[in-house]
Amino acid sequence: MVITVFGLGFVGLTTAVGFAEKGIKVYGIDVNEERTAVIREGRLPFFEPGLDEALVRNLNKTFFVTENVMQAVAESDCIYYCVGTPYGEGGQADLTYLYSAVESTLSGIQDEKFRVLVTKSTIPPSTTKEKIVPFVEEKGFQVGRQIGIANNPEFLREGYCWDDFMNADRIVLGISDSRSEEILRRLYAGFDIPVFAVSLNTGEFIKYLSNTLLATLISYSNEMSVMADTVGDIDVAGAFRILHMDKRWGGCSMTSYVYPGCGYGGYCLPKDTNAIYSLVKSKGFDAGILHNVIQTNERMPEFIAERIEKNIQPDSCIGILGLSFKPGSDDVRDTPAAKVIRKLAADGYRKIAAYDPIAEGEFKKYYPDIELSYCTDMESVIEKADELVILTAWEEFKKLNEMTDKPIIDCRYML
Ligand SMILES: NC(=O)c1ccc[n+]([C@@H]2O[C@H](COP(=O)([O-])OP(=O)(O)OC[C@H]3O[C@@H](n4cnc5c(N)ncnc54)[C@H](O)[C@@H]3O)[C@@H](O)[C@H]2O)c1
């Protein structure tokens, strides 16, 4: 079995190296030359423990980075799409990268061999059936006979990509023909993970079921924390910790989503909640709960900034602790920290210092317009600041109370 993976980001590189680790020959393709150059040197373009060593183990043995689409596609039985599906018009998923990768695959096909085109990128329910299948057919290919079309949503968490891929809880295959199902089951045969073959729409829907539930839990927790603040004299962190002691939660790690913070961020939850809400609205249903989940999340940075502004004067130096959207990751896409800092700057707070264990470089790259005085460690941000604000729950921030007597606003309820 040979496969090609388009898109070598968090999902694509993990998928490519994961299959390669199981002895499958994998070609990896990415349009970002800076990214492929780094990967070719055996380095990761982002922080992801475990994947770094696996890349070195498999690079140029079973995993090959290539620009030669024609050769990769010619050899492959399956083509995986792990390209970005960012916010598009009106909140819907932008499928431009996906179409472009599918198009270059099709232009590389010059024989009659049966191949499966598998979307691993997150795409709203009905996308494969109503958009990708017609797109492939318009190019003159017979879907189901000459080419199989499937989806295989990915549930990995950034910071745990490698383990989540290799030891996934479940594998979901959205399929519409038995030949594709048989090939994909063979591909996953080396993994001891339950495989569920479902319809194309169901496969896509399961991914959104997961992400919208997580977003709902987070927005519920955040709204409750704002309600508690509004009432006053409530120990928010303590109340949530006692809530988690309910036996019905069974000590499950899901409780980490039932906890207040600054709002969900990162690449997935914000765009995915918007994408399914907008898609379903365009089909005639206005989803009330999801609408409020999104609204609550959008308002969180403002609530957090207000909380800071109530306690800190504009001429003080604020020391921000944490820039990434969550601990254990250097991903700053849609991070609440950027929104909170922007709001503070707009409200006249000029002296802002910041420290993040690993995300400074990414933050500078994504938000070049945000002026910050970056610090290289906790000691220096403590020294520079008059007051400290925790915006990401990095483990090392737990010792903040022992390191300083300066006022701390713990927006992650972690101390
Ligand atoms: N990041 C996550 O935690 C996560 C988890 C599950 C699912 N997903 C979904 O997986 C998809 C990818 O997410 P990601 O975080 O890996 O994104 P990413 O931005 O890290 O990577 C996407 C890569 O695709 C490349 N690309 C774009 N167009 C291309 C093309 N035509 N040919 C080849 N490469 C191309 C980009 O250069 C980039 O390197 C998204 O749909 C996302 O919603 C992400």
Side-chain angles (χ1 to χ4, degrees), residues 1-4 19 23-26 62 75-78 80 113 116 180 182-189:
M1 178 94 70
V2 179
I3 71 166
T4 293
F19 283 127
I24 292 158
K25 183 174 180 183
V26 182
T62 41
E75 270 190 54
S76 293
D77 305 284
C78 289
Y80 263 84
K113 174 170 137 177
V116 195
S180 300
E182 186 269 317
I183 291 173
L184 290 174
R185 281 189 183 275
R186 233 178 333 121
L187 185 62
Y188 278 109

Side-chain angles (χ1 to χ4, degrees), residues 268-281:
C268 295
L269 297 194
K271 78 174 173 66
D272 295 346
T273 45
N274 270 290
I276 192 160
Y277 172 76
S278 309
L279 172 88
V280 175
K281 194 168 181 201

Side-chain angles (χ1 to χ4, degrees), residues 40-71:
R40 276 198 171 96
E41 287 169 13
R43 292 187 294 121
L44 293 186
F46 40 75
F47 177 77
E48 206 51 64
L51 182 59
D52 41 6
E53 290 158 20
L55 172 65
V56 172
R57 273 199 303 279
N58 293 289
L59 188 65
N60 299 327
K61 293 183 187 105
T62 41
F63 171 51
F64 305 88
V65 179
T66 182
E67 279 101 43
N68 193 337
V69 175
M70 198 84 109
Q71 187 213 342

Side-chain angles (χ1 to χ4, degrees), residues 218 222 225 236-238 240-241 256-266 297 300-301 304 307-308 321-327 331 334-338 340 356 388-395 397-398 408-415:
I218 295 170
N222 285 330
S225 74
V236 176
F240 272 87
R241 285 179 193 138
S256 65
Y257 292 89
V258 188
Y259 202 72
C262 305
Y264 54 79
N297 198 59
M300 277 319 289
I304 299 287
R307 195 173 148 200
I308 296 169
L321 288 149
L323 297 169
S324 61
F325 88 96
K326 67 171 187 179
D331 197 343
D334 249 323
T335 178
V340 172
D356 188 286
L388 295 143
V389 174
I390 300 179
L391 291 184
T392 312
W394 282 100
E395 194 63 24
F397 300 163
K398 282 196 175 147
I408 300 166
I409 302 178
D410 175 12
C411 299
R412 292 288 177 176
Y413 300 94
M414 64 179 292
L415 297 180

Side-chain angles (χ1 to χ4, degrees), residues 5-13 29-33 35 46 81-86 96-102 104 120-123 153-159 161 207-208 211 267-268 271-272 325-326 331 333 366:
V5 176
F6 278 86
L8 298 175
F10 286 94
V11 170
L13 190 55
I29 293 171
D30 200 294
V31 288
N32 181 336
E33 287 173 13
R35 184 159 272 196
F46 40 75
Y81 302 105
C82 303
V83 298
T85 46
T96 315
Y97 301 116
L98 184 57
Y99 285 136
S100 156
V102 172
S104 53
K120 204 175 230 322
S121 302
T122 303
I123 46 171
E154 180 52 59
F155 301 93
L156 57 73
R157 295 161 301 166
E158 285 179 22
C161 278
K207 174 66 189 169
Y208 283 85
N211 277 3
Y267 188 45
C268 295
K271 78 174 173 66
D272 295 346
F325 88 96
K326 67 171 187 179
D331 197 343
R333 293 177 285 185
Y366 271 86

Side-chain angles (χ1 to χ4, degrees), residues 301-310 312-316 318 338-352:
E302 212 171 299
F303 286 129
I304 299 287
E306 274 170 23
R307 195 173 148 200
I308 296 169
E309 291 175 11
K310 264 190 218 151
I312 302 181
Q313 295 304 311
D315 57 350
S316 289
I318 303 179
K339 295 172 192 163
V340 172
I341 294 167
R342 276 215 175 98
K343 171 87 175 102
L344 292 172
D347 292 344
Y349 289 76
R350 293 278 170 265
K351 288 187 272 176
I352 306 181

